[in-house]
Amino acid sequence: MPNKEIILQVLRASSIFEEVNDEALSKIATFSHEVSFQPGEIIFAEGDVAEKLYILVEGEVGIEARLSTRPGSVRRGTIESVAPGGVFGWSAILETHLTMGARAISAAKAIAVDGHALHSLLAQDTELCSPVMRKLVDIVSLRLANTRITLAHILSVCSHDLKAPLAAVQSYLQVILGGFVGELNEKQREMLSRSCVRIAEFIEMIDNILDISRFEVGAVEMENLSLPEVVRDSIEMLRPLAEEKKLNFTLDLAQDVPKVKGSATRIKQVVANLVGNAIKFTPSQGEISIKLKEDDGYLRVEVADTGVGISPEELPKIFDDFYRGVAGGTEAKGTGLGLSISKKIIETHGGRIWAESPCPETGRGSKFVFALLKS
Ligand code: ADP
């Protein structure tokens, strides 16, 4: 069969051109050609302008996205795999540069349609444009649906398959540390205690990852809370950590303040995150001060430290999902989710959270503030 005839056949059978008549298909065929890819070959890289729309004829192509969250580390994941008949590179006909990457998983053959030529053909011919765009919306929606399934799968693996064995190890360690299966010497006790702490941190990371998805959905149970009590409770758990690092802790909590409407568990989580970060990013002998003040219609909680501070370039990014700063990179622990979860929590409560660096009062470190409406 002549080459042009094969191209026409592939175009006709593809879902995107399903409703396009033969005359228009013949025009499209004039700027389409056959291409082959070796296994592993990059067809286009993430973020590049996709020049062509591809219809896969043979083999398999993976649609990839960058997954790494740390500067300098490159890690990609396959979001979707395209089978013969499938379309990819659709951003070629949209004016967007938001492409994911495409890589041949096995030896692959495709028909490549020139994006510019197709774009101008569609721009001239509205009758042709609307069925193609309708199909394109279907393809993009399917891609989104697949991404959601992948995300749901990752979350369910995290929540159960990863957490359950960790929780089991944690309880065995607690039994051993409790001295229920025999005496421990000092060295063994210290090593097991450290393992216990690391596992607790690991479980907390998993909880954070799960939280980020749950908070998108919202639904927090609210009650009338005494904020000074909530703040004091959350700090108590962190005091030993601060003492271990020889940090000076000062508390100045206004008493007899009006209650606020909120979830005690969630507000404790925010305070623990802010104070935990202050401990993490402040070198030994530094100072951490926690204040609760009554403002006009609000109660404000301020956590200030004399630590490493945050550069003006980083300041606008620290509340983003998975953002970890330069100082964060040197610390082994952390997912870069603590502040973004805190922001979601405070905003779900109708409040505001922000950071200043250096702390305006001391000219050092940083200050994190959240404000909640009095009830
Ligand atoms: P994580 O602590 O897991 O890295 P967070 O979302 O809690 O994630 O914080 C994001 C980033 O904000 C940190 O990596 C760090 O760069 C910066 N940051 C947060 N709190 C402080 C602080 N008290 N001092 C300096 N930098 C901070």
Side-chain angles (χ1 to χ4, degrees):
M1 210 185 297
N3 199 17
K4 271 286 161 245
E5 206 37 55
I6 299 176
I7 292 178
L8 255 178
Q9 244 181 34
V10 174
L11 294 179
R12 201 174 287 126
S14 73
S15 56
I16 191 161
F17 298 128
E18 217 168 56
E19 291 170 26
V20 172
N21 63 34
D22 269 359
E23 192 195 334
L25 280 181
S26 306
K27 276 193 207 159
I28 298 172
T30 60
F31 47 79
S32 306
H33 63 279
E34 239 184 26
V35 276
S36 310
F37 302 104
Q38 301 297 319
E41 189 176 338
I42 293 177
I43 302 171
F44 49 83
E46 185 175 352
D48 277 2
V49 182
E51 304 276 350
K52 295 181 174 80
L53 175 87
Y54 296 91
I55 300 156
L56 193 64
V57 179
E58 261 176 51
E60 195 183 359
V61 167
I63 303 299
E64 299 181 338
R66 211 172 291 129
L67 298 179
S68 45
T69 56
R70 292 181 195 185
S73 98
V74 182
R75 219 182 284 162
R76 294 193 175 81
T78 302
I79 301 298
E80 191 191 333
S81 110
V82 180
V87 177
F88 60 100
W90 45 263
S91 51
I93 48 172
L94 300 175
E95 275 152 19
T96 170
H97 297 175
L98 293 172
T99 55
M100 290 193 196
R103 183 196 295 269
I105 295 173
S106 55
K109 265 196 191 138
I111 297 300
V113 184
D114 184 90
H116 291 293
L118 183 59
H119 192 271
S120 35
L121 183 68
L122 294 176
Q124 288 160 16
D125 188 341
T126 43
E127 247 175 70
L128 171 65
C129 187
S130 80
V132 172
M133 284 304 170
R134 248 199 329 268
K135 287 290 168 189
L136 196 58
V137 170
D138 288 348
I139 294 169
V140 178
S141 316
L142 188 67
R143 167 87 50 86
L144 270 180
N146 283 335
T147 310
R148 291 177 80 116
I149 292 169
T150 309
L151 180 65
H153 180 67
I154 293 171
L155 289 174
S156 83
V157 167
C158 277
S159 61
H160 189 259
D161 304 3
L162 270 183
K163 250 183 101 170
L166 280 177
V169 173
Q170 191 183 39
S171 46
Y172 281 129
L173 286 175
Q174 279 159 353
V175 170
I176 301 171
L177 275 169
F180 298 108
V181 285
E183 286 283 306
L184 292 174
N185 65 35
E186 203 47 41
K187 187 96 195 140
Q188 289 167 331
R189 176 172 301 283
E190 191 197 314
M191 287 172 100
L192 286 177
S193 300
R194 282 196 194 175
S195 311
C196 226
V197 170
R198 298 313 300 252
I199 289 203
E201 284 165 2
F202 198 172
I203 292 177
E204 193 193 316
M205 275 191 199
I206 295 172
D207 283 338
N208 277 348
I209 292 171
L210 293 174
D211 260 357
I212 207 90
S213 55
R214 243 180 259 142
F215 257 88
E216 309 282 331
V217 185
V220 180
E221 274 179 35
M222 305 282 190
E223 50 186 314
N224 271 329
L225 304 172
S226 152
L227 202 50
E229 232 170 78
V230 169
V231 172
R232 210 172 300 108
D233 282 358
S234 21
I235 291 168
E236 276 325 302
M237 293 182 293
L238 291 162
R239 219 180 252 284
L241 256 182
E243 278 165 9
E244 196 181 300
K245 232 177 142 180
K246 305 214 165 23
L247 297 170
N248 194 16
F249 233 44
T250 55
L251 271 189
D252 178 5
L253 308 181
Q255 300 299 317
D256 300 326
V257 288
K259 302 227 162 181
V260 292
K261 234 188 176 35
S263 150
T265 324
R266 291 306 189 178
I267 304 291
K268 276 185 195 168
Q269 189 179 347
V270 174
V271 178
N273 175 244
L274 299 184
V275 178
N277 276 347
I279 296 174
K280 189 154 83 172
F281 296 110
T282 305
S284 190
Q285 315 293 342
E287 306 216 347
I288 296 174
S289 106
I290 299 136
K291 293 185 180 156
L292 189 149
K293 297 177 180 166
E294 195 173 345
D295 222 357
D296 263 353
Y298 291 89
L299 292 187
R300 286 159 65 113
V301 176
E302 303 184 352
V303 179
D305 63 55
T306 57
V308 295
I310 305 161
S311 68
E313 299 79 54
E314 284 194 297
L315 211 47
K317 303 184 209 155
I318 56 171
F319 289 96
D320 292 350
D321 290 352
F322 297 106
Y323 183 79
R324 296 196 69 209
V326 182
T330 57
E331 288 275 342
K333 308 163 209 163
T335 50
L337 284 174
L339 287 179
S340 65
I341 292 172
S342 297
K343 186 162 187 259
K344 286 192 172 77
I345 294 176
I346 295 299
E347 286 176 356
T348 310
H349 283 74
R352 237 166 51 79
I353 182 166
W354 68 95
E356 294 169 77
S357 185
C359 167
E361 287 84 9
T362 62
R364 301 166 66 188
S366 28
K367 181 167 92 168
F368 284 79
V369 187
F370 68 84
L372 292 174
L373 265 177
K374 297 175 196 167
S375 60

